[in-house]
Amino acid sequence: MGKRSTTVMAAVALACAMGVLTPGAAYAAPTQPAPPTTADRGTDLEQVRAQLDRLYHDAAVATEAYNAAEEKAQKQSGQIVELAKDIVKGQQKLDRLKARAGAAARQQYRDGGIPPGAQLMLSDDPSRFLDGADRLRQGQHATKGLMGELTRTQQDLQTYAQDAERNWQKLEAGRVAKAKAKKKIKSKIAAAEKLESRLEKKERERLKELELQAEYKRQTAWLSSGALKDVSGSASARGKKAVAFATAQIGKPYVWGAEGPGSYDCSGLTSQAWSAAGRPIPRTSQEQWKQLRHVGVKDMRPGDLIIYHDDASHVGMYIGDGAIVHAPRPGRNVTIAGAGSMAILGVVRPDA
């Protein structure tokens, strides 16, 4: 048994001991909690659960928007640095060219200010005339080349400056977008935490049971549909490394915008797992969905990423047996869950 299998089985065994997995089958649900009673305020708690789902979903959308803005900012900052280097080099080249042009002007002054062509015409020595004509031709070519190079260098500097300005504008727009996303994330999480804080301990426990029950219902429906009937793909070498990394993070808290090593958000976990496997991928779940190769559910294999919800706002890594490892939401830790416990948008393969 390989290292990845040992890691996954250890995690599964732990989950079984906690009543999260049903051993000996594809990933199933925990034992269904007892039906809510009037004392449990079941109906009210179900409404609370639905409201929390919406708030945390909105927070997830904002988190991915923040992550995208952060990724763009890093790219634009790098471009600005490179443009700044180009501007410095261009300015140094322009200074050298101007120095050469100045030297030529000073030489002409020392020759009495008489243009080389006029000096040539005053010569009555045929051989000197021919030598001078050749030097004059060469000098004209050199002067023309110098002036052309000066013009091109000035144009390059202008282009660099314009590109830098555009990148600064994009960087500023990204800063505004990032600040807006951050504000939305905090407001949605604060609203969710405020809602949960109003519940008594027993109600919070019951709420968690309701969350598990909802996941179980979706996972059961997914399994019953025959989604896993033809799934038999084996992980690639890199896929095994990605799964090993991701499952090793089980138990670490979800923190929005985090990429490890102590905490992760959903796409932070998957991007870092594949980076550790030697295959860098986009930072956000939306870009992972856009840029990576799509594969059918029946063709998926451990290491593939399952993208969730119509807006591609969540991602988990398939680890086999109908299960994923993912960073769920604020207040939860990296964990194993049913691959069908959320609405699947599709599957992508980083190492296609």
Side-chain angles (χ1 to χ4, degrees), residues 115-141:
Q119 293 182 35
L120 182 63
M121 295 302 296
L122 294 174
S123 173
D124 57 1
D125 184 340
S127 63
R128 184 180 176 189
F129 180 90
L130 292 174
D131 289 343
D134 184 57
R135 287 195 300 271
L136 177 60
R137 181 180 58 81
Q138 293 176 1
Q140 288 173 337
H141 281 305

mmCIF file with all atom_site columns, all heavy atoms in Angstrom, residues 115-141:
data_model
loop_
_atom_site.group_PDB
_atom_site.id
_atom_site.type_symbol
_atom_site.label_atom_id
_atom_site.label_alt_id
_atom_site.label_comp_id
_atom_site.label_asym_id
_atom_site.label_entity_id
_atom_site.label_seq_id
_atom_site.pdbx_PDB_ins_code
_atom_site.Cartn_x
_atom_site.Cartn_y
_atom_site.Cartn_z
_atom_site.occupancy
_atom_site.B_iso_or_equiv
_atom_site.pdbx_formal_charge
_atom_site.auth_seq_id
_atom_site.auth_comp_id
_atom_site.auth_asym_id
_atom_site.auth_atom_id
_atom_site.pdbx_PDB_model_num
ATOM 1   N N   . PRO A 1 115 ? 30.484 72.742 -42.796 1.00 0.00 ? 115 PRO A N   1
ATOM 2   C CA  . PRO A 1 115 ? 29.959 71.397 -43.016 1.00 0.00 ? 115 PRO A CA  1
ATOM 3   C C   . PRO A 1 115 ? 30.968 70.537 -43.756 1.00 0.00 ? 115 PRO A C   1
ATOM 4   O O   . PRO A 1 115 ? 31.703 71.033 -44.615 1.00 0.00 ? 115 PRO A O   1
ATOM 5   C CB  . PRO A 1 115 ? 28.701 71.630 -43.853 1.00 0.00 ? 115 PRO A CB  1
ATOM 6   C CG  . PRO A 1 115 ? 28.320 73.054 -43.571 1.00 0.00 ? 115 PRO A CG  1
ATOM 7   C CD  . PRO A 1 115 ? 29.610 73.787 -43.357 1.00 0.00 ? 115 PRO A CD  1
ATOM 8   N N   . PRO A 1 116 ? 31.054 69.236 -43.471 1.00 0.00 ? 116 PRO A N   1
ATOM 9   C CA  . PRO A 1 116 ? 32.009 68.343 -44.130 1.00 0.00 ? 116 PRO A CA  1
ATOM 10  C C   . PRO A 1 116 ? 31.913 68.405 -45.646 1.00 0.00 ? 116 PRO A C   1
ATOM 11  O O   . PRO A 1 116 ? 32.917 68.352 -46.352 1.00 0.00 ? 116 PRO A O   1
ATOM 12  C CB  . PRO A 1 116 ? 31.637 66.965 -43.597 1.00 0.00 ? 116 PRO A CB  1
ATOM 13  C CG  . PRO A 1 116 ? 30.992 67.242 -42.264 1.00 0.00 ? 116 PRO A CG  1
ATOM 14  C CD  . PRO A 1 116 ? 30.280 68.545 -42.440 1.00 0.00 ? 116 PRO A CD  1
ATOM 15  N N   . GLY A 1 117 ? 30.705 68.545 -46.193 1.00 0.00 ? 117 GLY A N   1
ATOM 16  C CA  . GLY A 1 117 ? 30.535 68.606 -47.650 1.00 0.00 ? 117 GLY A CA  1
ATOM 17  C C   . GLY A 1 117 ? 31.196 69.827 -48.243 1.00 0.00 ? 117 GLY A C   1
ATOM 18  O O   . GLY A 1 117 ? 31.828 69.762 -49.310 1.00 0.00 ? 117 GLY A O   1
ATOM 19  N N   . ALA A 1 118 ? 31.090 70.954 -47.550 1.00 0.00 ? 118 ALA A N   1
ATOM 20  C CA  . ALA A 1 118 ? 31.707 72.191 -48.037 1.00 0.00 ? 118 ALA A CA  1
ATOM 21  C C   . ALA A 1 118 ? 33.217 72.076 -47.988 1.00 0.00 ? 118 ALA A C   1
ATOM 22  O O   . ALA A 1 118 ? 33.933 72.532 -48.902 1.00 0.00 ? 118 ALA A O   1
ATOM 23  C CB  . ALA A 1 118 ? 31.223 73.368 -47.200 1.00 0.00 ? 118 ALA A CB  1
ATOM 24  N N   . GLN A 1 119 ? 33.744 71.494 -46.884 1.00 0.00 ? 119 GLN A N   1
ATOM 25  C CA  . GLN A 1 119 ? 35.186 71.305 -46.770 1.00 0.00 ? 119 GLN A CA  1
ATOM 26  C C   . GLN A 1 119 ? 35.691 70.439 -47.927 1.00 0.00 ? 119 GLN A C   1
ATOM 27  O O   . GLN A 1 119 ? 36.779 70.678 -48.482 1.00 0.00 ? 119 GLN A O   1
ATOM 28  C CB  . GLN A 1 119 ? 35.532 70.643 -45.440 1.00 0.00 ? 119 GLN A CB  1
ATOM 29  C CG  . GLN A 1 119 ? 35.244 71.520 -44.212 1.00 0.00 ? 119 GLN A CG  1
ATOM 30  C CD  . GLN A 1 119 ? 35.652 70.811 -42.934 1.00 0.00 ? 119 GLN A CD  1
ATOM 31  O OE1 . GLN A 1 119 ? 36.633 70.082 -42.926 1.00 0.00 ? 119 GLN A OE1 1
ATOM 32  N NE2 . GLN A 1 119 ? 34.879 71.045 -41.874 1.00 0.00 ? 119 GLN A NE2 1
ATOM 33  N N   . LEU A 1 120 ? 34.943 69.453 -48.276 1.00 0.00 ? 120 LEU A N   1
ATOM 34  C CA  . LEU A 1 120 ? 35.337 68.547 -49.349 1.00 0.00 ? 120 LEU A CA  1
ATOM 35  C C   . LEU A 1 120 ? 35.417 69.291 -50.682 1.00 0.00 ? 120 LEU A C   1
ATOM 36  O O   . LEU A 1 120 ? 36.356 69.100 -51.476 1.00 0.00 ? 120 LEU A O   1
ATOM 37  C CB  . LEU A 1 120 ? 34.326 67.390 -49.424 1.00 0.00 ? 120 LEU A CB  1
ATOM 38  C CG  . LEU A 1 120 ? 34.601 66.313 -50.477 1.00 0.00 ? 120 LEU A CG  1
ATOM 39  C CD1 . LEU A 1 120 ? 35.927 65.604 -50.178 1.00 0.00 ? 120 LEU A CD1 1
ATOM 40  C CD2 . LEU A 1 120 ? 33.463 65.294 -50.487 1.00 0.00 ? 120 LEU A CD2 1
ATOM 41  N N   . MET A 1 121 ? 34.458 70.133 -50.957 1.00 0.00 ? 121 MET A N   1
ATOM 42  C CA  . MET A 1 121 ? 34.424 70.856 -52.226 1.00 0.00 ? 121 MET A CA  1
ATOM 43  C C   . MET A 1 121 ? 35.598 71.815 -52.363 1.00 0.00 ? 121 MET A C   1
ATOM 44  O O   . MET A 1 121 ? 36.025 72.150 -53.473 1.00 0.00 ? 121 MET A O   1
ATOM 45  C CB  . MET A 1 121 ? 33.098 71.628 -52.350 1.00 0.00 ? 121 MET A CB  1
ATOM 46  C CG  . MET A 1 121 ? 31.860 70.737 -52.438 1.00 0.00 ? 121 MET A CG  1
ATOM 47  S SD  . MET A 1 121 ? 31.913 69.583 -53.830 1.00 0.00 ? 121 MET A SD  1
ATOM 48  C CE  . MET A 1 121 ? 31.891 70.728 -55.200 1.00 0.00 ? 121 MET A CE  1
ATOM 49  N N   . LEU A 1 122 ? 36.155 72.279 -51.234 1.00 0.00 ? 122 LEU A N   1
ATOM 50  C CA  . LEU A 1 122 ? 37.280 73.221 -51.269 1.00 0.00 ? 122 LEU A CA  1
ATOM 51  C C   . LEU A 1 122 ? 38.612 72.538 -51.519 1.00 0.00 ? 122 LEU A C   1
ATOM 52  O O   . LEU A 1 122 ? 39.641 73.198 -51.738 1.00 0.00 ? 122 LEU A O   1
ATOM 53  C CB  . LEU A 1 122 ? 37.345 74.010 -49.948 1.00 0.00 ? 122 LEU A CB  1
ATOM 54  C CG  . LEU A 1 122 ? 36.164 74.958 -49.692 1.00 0.00 ? 122 LEU A CG  1
ATOM 55  C CD1 . LEU A 1 122 ? 36.284 75.564 -48.296 1.00 0.00 ? 122 LEU A CD1 1
ATOM 56  C CD2 . LEU A 1 122 ? 36.107 76.047 -50.760 1.00 0.00 ? 122 LEU A CD2 1
ATOM 57  N N   . SER A 1 123 ? 38.622 71.195 -51.489 1.00 0.00 ? 123 SER A N   1
ATOM 58  C CA  . SER A 1 123 ? 39.870 70.468 -51.676 1.00 0.00 ? 123 SER A CA  1
ATOM 59  C C   . SER A 1 123 ? 40.219 70.398 -53.159 1.00 0.00 ? 123 SER A C   1
ATOM 60  O O   . SER A 1 123 ? 39.372 70.135 -54.002 1.00 0.00 ? 123 SER A O   1
ATOM 61  C CB  . SER A 1 123 ? 39.742 69.049 -51.106 1.00 0.00 ? 123 SER A CB  1
ATOM 62  O OG  . SER A 1 123 ? 40.884 68.296 -51.423 1.00 0.00 ? 123 SER A OG  1
ATOM 63  N N   . ASP A 1 124 ? 41.520 70.683 -53.513 1.00 0.00 ? 124 ASP A N   1
ATOM 64  C CA  . ASP A 1 124 ? 41.964 70.588 -54.903 1.00 0.00 ? 124 ASP A CA  1
ATOM 65  C C   . ASP A 1 124 ? 42.833 69.363 -55.152 1.00 0.00 ? 124 ASP A C   1
ATOM 66  O O   . ASP A 1 124 ? 43.438 69.198 -56.193 1.00 0.00 ? 124 ASP A O   1
ATOM 67  C CB  . ASP A 1 124 ? 42.730 71.851 -55.315 1.00 0.00 ? 124 ASP A CB  1
ATOM 68  C CG  . ASP A 1 124 ? 43.924 72.120 -54.395 1.00 0.00 ? 124 ASP A CG  1
ATOM 69  O OD1 . ASP A 1 124 ? 44.143 71.304 -53.461 1.00 0.00 ? 124 ASP A OD1 1
ATOM 70  O OD2 . ASP A 1 124 ? 44.593 73.138 -54.602 1.00 0.00 ? 124 ASP A OD2 1
ATOM 71  N N   . ASP A 1 125 ? 42.897 68.451 -54.153 1.00 0.00 ? 125 ASP A N   1
ATOM 72  C CA  . ASP A 1 125 ? 43.672 67.202 -54.273 1.00 0.00 ? 125 ASP A CA  1
ATOM 73  C C   . ASP A 1 125 ? 42.695 66.080 -54.606 1.00 0.00 ? 125 ASP A C   1
ATOM 74  O O   . ASP A 1 125 ? 41.835 65.736 -53.793 1.00 0.00 ? 125 ASP A O   1
ATOM 75  C CB  . ASP A 1 125 ? 44.386 66.916 -52.967 1.00 0.00 ? 125 ASP A CB  1
ATOM 76  C CG  . ASP A 1 125 ? 45.289 65.684 -53.065 1.00 0.00 ? 125 ASP A CG  1
ATOM 77  O OD1 . ASP A 1 125 ? 45.071 64.861 -53.975 1.00 0.00 ? 125 ASP A OD1 1
ATOM 78  O OD2 . ASP A 1 125 ? 46.164 65.540 -52.192 1.00 0.00 ? 125 ASP A OD2 1
ATOM 79  N N   . PRO A 1 126 ? 42.788 65.485 -55.823 1.00 0.00 ? 126 PRO A N   1
ATOM 80  C CA  . PRO A 1 126 ? 41.825 64.440 -56.240 1.00 0.00 ? 126 PRO A CA  1
ATOM 81  C C   . PRO A 1 126 ? 41.757 63.260 -55.278 1.00 0.00 ? 126 PRO A C   1
ATOM 82  O O   . PRO A 1 126 ? 40.667 62.791 -54.939 1.00 0.00 ? 126 PRO A O   1
ATOM 83  C CB  . PRO A 1 126 ? 42.343 64.013 -57.606 1.00 0.00 ? 126 PRO A CB  1
ATOM 84  C CG  . PRO A 1 126 ? 43.090 65.203 -58.110 1.00 0.00 ? 126 PRO A CG  1
ATOM 85  C CD  . PRO A 1 126 ? 43.745 65.819 -56.891 1.00 0.00 ? 126 PRO A CD  1
ATOM 86  N N   . SER A 1 127 ? 42.943 62.747 -54.844 1.00 0.00 ? 127 SER A N   1
ATOM 87  C CA  . SER A 1 127 ? 42.919 61.579 -53.946 1.00 0.00 ? 127 SER A CA  1
ATOM 88  C C   . SER A 1 127 ? 42.306 61.948 -52.605 1.00 0.00 ? 127 SER A C   1
ATOM 89  O O   . SER A 1 127 ? 41.545 61.173 -52.013 1.00 0.00 ? 127 SER A O   1
ATOM 90  C CB  . SER A 1 127 ? 44.344 61.042 -53.761 1.00 0.00 ? 127 SER A CB  1
ATOM 91  O OG  . SER A 1 127 ? 45.172 62.019 -53.138 1.00 0.00 ? 127 SER A OG  1
ATOM 92  N N   . ARG A 1 128 ? 42.626 63.159 -52.153 1.00 0.00 ? 128 ARG A N   1
ATOM 93  C CA  . ARG A 1 128 ? 42.045 63.607 -50.883 1.00 0.00 ? 128 ARG A CA  1
ATOM 94  C C   . ARG A 1 128 ? 40.545 63.792 -51.034 1.00 0.00 ? 128 ARG A C   1
ATOM 95  O O   . ARG A 1 128 ? 39.768 63.512 -50.123 1.00 0.00 ? 128 ARG A O   1
ATOM 96  C CB  . ARG A 1 128 ? 42.714 64.910 -50.460 1.00 0.00 ? 128 ARG A CB  1
ATOM 97  C CG  . ARG A 1 128 ? 42.257 65.416 -49.096 1.00 0.00 ? 128 ARG A CG  1
ATOM 98  C CD  . ARG A 1 128 ? 42.952 66.708 -48.749 1.00 0.00 ? 128 ARG A CD  1
ATOM 99  N NE  . ARG A 1 128 ? 42.456 67.241 -47.490 1.00 0.00 ? 128 ARG A NE  1
ATOM 100 C CZ  . ARG A 1 128 ? 42.754 68.447 -47.015 1.00 0.00 ? 128 ARG A CZ  1
ATOM 101 N NH1 . ARG A 1 128 ? 43.586 69.241 -47.701 1.00 0.00 ? 128 ARG A NH1 1
ATOM 102 N NH2 . ARG A 1 128 ? 42.258 68.845 -45.868 1.00 0.00 ? 128 ARG A NH2 1
ATOM 103 N N   . PHE A 1 129 ? 40.150 64.272 -52.238 1.00 0.00 ? 129 PHE A N   1
ATOM 104 C CA  . PHE A 1 129 ? 38.724 64.466 -52.503 1.00 0.00 ? 129 PHE A CA  1
ATOM 105 C C   . PHE A 1 129 ? 37.979 63.126 -52.437 1.00 0.00 ? 129 PHE A C   1
ATOM 106 O O   . PHE A 1 129 ? 36.920 63.022 -51.821 1.00 0.00 ? 129 PHE A O   1
ATOM 107 C CB  . PHE A 1 129 ? 38.546 65.106 -53.878 1.00 0.00 ? 129 PHE A CB  1
ATOM 108 C CG  . PHE A 1 129 ? 37.107 65.348 -54.240 1.00 0.00 ? 129 PHE A CG  1
ATOM 109 C CD1 . PHE A 1 129 ? 36.483 66.545 -53.922 1.00 0.00 ? 129 PHE A CD1 1
ATOM 110 C CD2 . PHE A 1 129 ? 36.378 64.375 -54.923 1.00 0.00 ? 129 PHE A CD2 1
ATOM 111 C CE1 . PHE A 1 129 ? 35.158 66.761 -54.259 1.00 0.00 ? 129 PHE A CE1 1
ATOM 112 C CE2 . PHE A 1 129 ? 35.049 64.588 -55.252 1.00 0.00 ? 129 PHE A CE2 1
ATOM 113 C CZ  . PHE A 1 129 ? 34.437 65.785 -54.917 1.00 0.00 ? 129 PHE A CZ  1
ATOM 114 N N   . LEU A 1 130 ? 38.559 62.087 -53.081 1.00 0.00 ? 130 LEU A N   1
ATOM 115 C CA  . LEU A 1 130 ? 37.909 60.780 -53.092 1.00 0.00 ? 130 LEU A CA  1
ATOM 116 C C   . LEU A 1 130 ? 37.859 60.162 -51.704 1.00 0.00 ? 130 LEU A C   1
ATOM 117 O O   . LEU A 1 130 ? 36.833 59.593 -51.295 1.00 0.00 ? 130 LEU A O   1
ATOM 118 C CB  . LEU A 1 130 ? 38.639 59.844 -54.059 1.00 0.00 ? 130 LEU A CB  1
ATOM 119 C CG  . LEU A 1 130 ? 38.525 60.208 -55.550 1.00 0.00 ? 130 LEU A CG  1
ATOM 120 C CD1 . LEU A 1 130 ? 39.402 59.288 -56.384 1.00 0.00 ? 130 LEU A CD1 1
ATOM 121 C CD2 . LEU A 1 130 ? 37.076 60.111 -56.009 1.00 0.00 ? 130 LEU A CD2 1
ATOM 122 N N   . ASP A 1 131 ? 38.973 60.245 -50.966 1.00 0.00 ? 131 ASP A N   1
ATOM 123 C CA  . ASP A 1 131 ? 38.988 59.722 -49.588 1.00 0.00 ? 131 ASP A CA  1
ATOM 124 C C   . ASP A 1 131 ? 37.964 60.463 -48.740 1.00 0.00 ? 131 ASP A C   1
ATOM 125 O O   . ASP A 1 131 ? 37.230 59.875 -47.935 1.00 0.00 ? 131 ASP A O   1
ATOM 126 C CB  . ASP A 1 131 ? 40.381 59.886 -48.973 1.00 0.00 ? 131 ASP A CB  1
ATOM 127 C CG  . ASP A 1 131 ? 41.400 58.944 -49.597 1.00 0.00 ? 131 ASP A CG  1
ATOM 128 O OD1 . ASP A 1 131 ? 40.940 57.974 -50.246 1.00 0.00 ? 131 ASP A OD1 1
ATOM 129 O OD2 . ASP A 1 131 ? 42.607 59.183 -49.429 1.00 0.00 ? 131 ASP A OD2 1
ATOM 130 N N   . GLY A 1 132 ? 37.911 61.764 -48.920 1.00 0.00 ? 132 GLY A N   1
ATOM 131 C CA  . GLY A 1 132 ? 36.963 62.564 -48.129 1.00 0.00 ? 132 GLY A CA  1
ATOM 132 C C   . GLY A 1 132 ? 35.526 62.231 -48.477 1.00 0.00 ? 132 GLY A C   1
ATOM 133 O O   . GLY A 1 132 ? 34.643 62.201 -47.616 1.00 0.00 ? 132 GLY A O   1
ATOM 134 N N   . ALA A 1 133 ? 35.294 61.985 -49.767 1.00 0.00 ? 133 ALA A N   1
ATOM 135 C CA  . ALA A 1 133 ? 33.929 61.641 -50.193 1.00 0.00 ? 133 ALA A CA  1
ATOM 136 C C   . ALA A 1 133 ? 33.483 60.338 -49.544 1.00 0.00 ? 133 ALA A C   1
ATOM 137 O O   . ALA A 1 133 ? 32.329 60.192 -49.124 1.00 0.00 ? 133 ALA A O   1
ATOM 138 C CB  . ALA A 1 133 ? 33.872 61.539 -51.716 1.00 0.00 ? 133 ALA A CB  1
ATOM 139 N N   . ASP A 1 134 ? 34.411 59.367 -49.494 1.00 0.00 ? 134 ASP A N   1
ATOM 140 C CA  . ASP A 1 134 ? 34.079 58.074 -48.874 1.00 0.00 ? 134 ASP A CA  1
ATOM 141 C C   . ASP A 1 134 ? 33.790 58.248 -47.384 1.00 0.00 ? 134 ASP A C   1
ATOM 142 O O   . ASP A 1 134 ? 32.819 57.682 -46.855 1.00 0.00 ? 134 ASP A O   1
ATOM 143 C CB  . ASP A 1 134 ? 35.231 57.097 -49.086 1.00 0.00 ? 134 ASP A CB  1
ATOM 144 C CG  . ASP A 1 134 ? 34.903 55.704 -48.553 1.00 0.00 ? 134 ASP A CG  1
ATOM 145 O OD1 . ASP A 1 134 ? 33.889 55.129 -48.993 1.00 0.00 ? 134 ASP A OD1 1
ATOM 146 O OD2 . ASP A 1 134 ? 35.651 55.208 -47.688 1.00 0.00 ? 134 ASP A OD2 1
ATOM 147 N N   . ARG A 1 135 ? 34.666 59.042 -46.723 1.00 0.00 ? 135 ARG A N   1
ATOM 148 C CA  . ARG A 1 135 ? 34.444 59.275 -45.284 1.00 0.00 ? 135 ARG A CA  1
ATOM 149 C C   . ARG A 1 135 ? 33.135 60.031 -45.051 1.00 0.00 ? 135 ARG A C   1
ATOM 150 O O   . ARG A 1 135 ? 32.426 59.789 -44.087 1.00 0.00 ? 135 ARG A O   1
ATOM 151 C CB  . ARG A 1 135 ? 35.620 60.054 -44.687 1.00 0.00 ? 135 ARG A CB  1
ATOM 152 C CG  . ARG A 1 135 ? 36.881 59.226 -44.533 1.00 0.00 ? 135 ARG A CG  1
ATOM 153 C CD  . ARG A 1 135 ? 37.883 59.915 -43.604 1.00 0.00 ? 135 ARG A CD  1
ATOM 154 N NE  . ARG A 1 135 ? 38.274 61.215 -44.129 1.00 0.00 ? 135 ARG A NE  1
ATOM 155 C CZ  . ARG A 1 135 ? 39.294 61.413 -44.972 1.00 0.00 ? 135 ARG A CZ  1
ATOM 156 N NH1 . ARG A 1 135 ? 39.989 60.371 -45.413 1.00 0.00 ? 135 ARG A NH1 1
ATOM 157 N NH2 . ARG A 1 135 ? 39.603 62.622 -45.388 1.00 0.00 ? 135 ARG A NH2 1
ATOM 158 N N   . LEU A 1 136 ? 32.845 60.979 -45.976 1.00 0.00 ? 136 LEU A N   1
ATOM 159 C CA  . LEU A 1 136 ? 31.595 61.733 -45.850 1.00 0.00 ? 136 LEU A CA  1
ATOM 160 C C   . LEU A 1 136 ? 30.395 60.807 -45.975 1.00 0.00 ? 136 LEU A C   1
ATOM 161 O O   . LEU A 1 136 ? 29.436 60.897 -45.207 1.00 0.00 ? 136 LEU A O   1
ATOM 162 C CB  . LEU A 1 136 ? 31.542 62.813 -46.931 1.00 0.00 ? 136 LEU A CB  1
ATOM 163 C CG  . LEU A 1 136 ? 30.245 63.648 -46.981 1.00 0.00 ? 136 LEU A CG  1
ATOM 164 C CD1 . LEU A 1 136 ? 30.031 64.381 -45.656 1.00 0.00 ? 136 LEU A CD1 1
ATOM 165 C CD2 . LEU A 1 136 ? 30.302 64.642 -48.146 1.00 0.00 ? 136 LEU A CD2 1
ATOM 166 N N   . ARG A 1 137 ? 30.467 59.865 -46.947 1.00 0.00 ? 137 ARG A N   1
ATOM 167 C CA  . ARG A 1 137 ? 29.364 58.915 -47.134 1.00 0.00 ? 137 ARG A CA  1
ATOM 168 C C   . ARG A 1 137 ? 29.179 58.045 -45.885 1.00 0.00 ? 137 ARG A C   1
ATOM 169 O O   . ARG A 1 137 ? 28.062 57.832 -45.426 1.00 0.00 ? 137 ARG A O   1
ATOM 170 C CB  . ARG A 1 137 ? 29.638 58.039 -48.350 1.00 0.00 ? 137 ARG A CB  1
ATOM 171 C CG  . ARG A 1 137 ? 28.536 57.026 -48.668 1.00 0.00 ? 137 ARG A CG  1
ATOM 172 C CD  . ARG A 1 137 ? 28.910 56.203 -49.883 1.00 0.00 ? 137 ARG A CD  1
ATOM 173 N NE  . ARG A 1 137 ? 30.162 55.503 -49.677 1.00 0.00 ? 137 ARG A NE  1
ATOM 174 C CZ  . ARG A 1 137 ? 30.250 54.358 -48.992 1.00 0.00 ? 137 ARG A CZ  1
ATOM 175 N NH1 . ARG A 1 137 ? 29.178 53.807 -48.455 1.00 0.00 ? 137 ARG A NH1 1
ATOM 176 N NH2 . ARG A 1 137 ? 31.426 53.768 -48.841 1.00 0.00 ? 137 ARG A NH2 1
ATOM 177 N N   . GLN A 1 138 ? 30.297 57.558 -45.359 1.00 0.00 ? 138 GLN A N   1
ATOM 178 C CA  . GLN A 1 138 ? 30.231 56.745 -44.148 1.00 0.00 ? 138 GLN A CA  1
ATOM 179 C C   . GLN A 1 138 ? 29.690 57.550 -42.967 1.00 0.00 ? 138 GLN A C   1
ATOM 180 O O   . GLN A 1 138 ? 28.886 57.052 -42.173 1.00 0.00 ? 138 GLN A O   1
ATOM 181 C CB  . GLN A 1 138 ? 31.626 56.193 -43.815 1.00 0.00 ? 138 GLN A CB  1
ATOM 182 C CG  . GLN A 1 138 ? 32.151 55.181 -44.814 1.00 0.00 ? 138 GLN A CG  1
ATOM 183 C CD  . GLN A 1 138 ? 33.564 54.738 -44.486 1.00 0.00 ? 138 GLN A CD  1
ATOM 184 O OE1 . GLN A 1 138 ? 34.156 55.173 -43.496 1.00 0.00 ? 138 GLN A OE1 1
ATOM 185 N NE2 . GLN A 1 138 ? 34.123 53.866 -45.335 1.00 0.00 ? 138 GLN A NE2 1
ATOM 186 N N   . GLY A 1 139 ? 30.143 58.783 -42.882 1.00 0.00 ? 139 GLY A N   1
ATOM 187 C CA  . GLY A 1 139 ? 29.676 59.637 -41.786 1.00 0.00 ? 139 GLY A CA  1
ATOM 188 C C   . GLY A 1 139 ? 28.193 59.920 -41.875 1.00 0.00 ? 139 GLY A C   1
ATOM 189 O O   . GLY A 1 139 ? 27.484 59.964 -40.865 1.00 0.00 ? 139 GLY A O   1
ATOM 190 N N   . GLN A 1 140 ? 27.703 60.110 -43.116 1.00 0.00 ? 140 GLN A N   1
ATOM 191 C CA  . GLN A 1 140 ? 26.275 60.364 -43.300 1.00 0.00 ? 140 GLN A CA  1
ATOM 192 C C   . GLN A 1 140 ? 25.449 59.152 -42.888 1.00 0.00 ? 140 GLN A C   1
ATOM 193 O O   . GLN A 1 140 ? 24.400 59.280 -42.252 1.00 0.00 ? 140 GLN A O   1
ATOM 194 C CB  . GLN A 1 140 ? 26.001 60.725 -44.762 1.00 0.00 ? 140 GLN A CB  1
ATOM 195 C CG  . GLN A 1 140 ? 26.498 62.116 -45.143 1.00 0.00 ? 140 GLN A CG  1
ATOM 196 C CD  . GLN A 1 140 ? 26.375 62.381 -46.632 1.00 0.00 ? 140 GLN A CD  1
ATOM 197 O OE1 . GLN A 1 140 ? 26.332 61.441 -47.443 1.00 0.00 ? 140 GLN A OE1 1
ATOM 198 N NE2 . GLN A 1 140 ? 26.322 63.654 -47.010 1.00 0.00 ? 140 GLN A NE2 1
ATOM 199 N N   . HIS A 1 141 ? 25.955 57.950 -43.273 1.00 0.00 ? 141 HIS A N   1
ATOM 200 C CA  . HIS A 1 141 ? 25.262 56.719 -42.877 1.00 0.00 ? 141 HIS A CA  1
ATOM 201 C C   . HIS A 1 141 ? 25.255 56.571 -41.353 1.00 0.00 ? 141 HIS A C   1
ATOM 202 O O   . HIS A 1 141 ? 24.246 56.201 -40.744 1.00 0.00 ? 141 HIS A O   1
ATOM 203 C CB  . HIS A 1 141 ? 25.942 55.503 -43.514 1.00 0.00 ? 141 HIS A CB  1
ATOM 204 C CG  . HIS A 1 141 ? 25.582 55.293 -44.947 1.00 0.00 ? 141 HIS A CG  1
ATOM 205 N ND1 . HIS A 1 141 ? 24.283 55.167 -45.390 1.00 0.00 ? 141 HIS A ND1 1
ATOM 206 C CD2 . HIS A 1 141 ? 26.359 55.203 -46.068 1.00 0.00 ? 141 HIS A CD2 1
ATOM 207 C CE1 . HIS A 1 141 ? 24.260 54.993 -46.698 1.00 0.00 ? 141 HIS A CE1 1
ATOM 208 N NE2 . HIS A 1 141 ? 25.522 55.024 -47.143 1.00 0.00 ? 141 HIS A NE2 1
#
